[in-house]
Amino acid sequence: MPHLCIEKVPNTVVEADEPKGGRLLDTCDDHGAPIPFSCRSGSCGTCRVEIIEGEALLDPPEEEERQILEMFGDPPGRRLACLIQVREGPGRVRLRVVDEE
Ligand code: FES
């Protein structure tokens, strides 16, 4: 898994390296990342994030995830953090929490 950089405006940043790869949700739990989770299963939209960098290092969204993002009117480049699977390999993924306030 690449190096992960998870940001929340204005200034919270959590960085992590995960050598085993896998679910972003697990990385967030392990490192106290500032992404708010509720259902943790891709149905509520609470954990929406914007992919700033490294989208090619993530498995693409399934149809169910695309439908939730469409329901919220999110532009391309946003994902549900609880469903993101990060691929193994070098590189950097940078995410920012979607703040609607
Ligand atoms: S926590 Fe509900 S969609 Fe991710």
Side-chain angles (χ1 to χ4, degrees):
M1 181 184 279
H3 182 76
L4 298 171
C5 180
I6 301 165
E7 306 173 358
K8 183 174 184 189
V9 173
N11 56 12
T12 305
V13 178
V14 168
E15 301 200 42
D17 288 303
E18 289 288 349
K20 291 182 284 186
R23 298 192 315 161
L24 177 66
L25 183 60
D26 295 333
T27 301
C28 290
D29 287 346
D30 291 346
H31 295 275
I35 299 175
F37 292 105
S38 182
C39 72
R40 302 170 72 90
S41 61
S43 59
C44 72
T46 302
C47 65
R48 290 168 16 254
V49 293
E50 180 177 358
I51 311 300
I52 307 296
E53 181 181 345
E55 188 170 5
L57 297 168
L58 309 177
D59 284 349
E62 303 280 338
E63 181 59 29
E64 295 83 1
E65 181 179 354
R66 283 197 294 270
Q67 288 176 358
I68 293 288
L69 292 166
E70 191 177 307
M71 193 176 76
F72 279 94
D74 283 311
R78 290 195 179 171
R79 298 287 306 270
L80 298 176
C82 66
L83 297 183
I84 290 176
Q85 291 282 332
V86 182
R87 297 174 173 160
E88 288 188 67
R92 184 169 190 249
V93 175
R94 199 169 141 223
L95 312 170
R96 184 173 298 147
V97 173
V98 172
D99 186 357
E100 300 198 313
E101 294 178 19

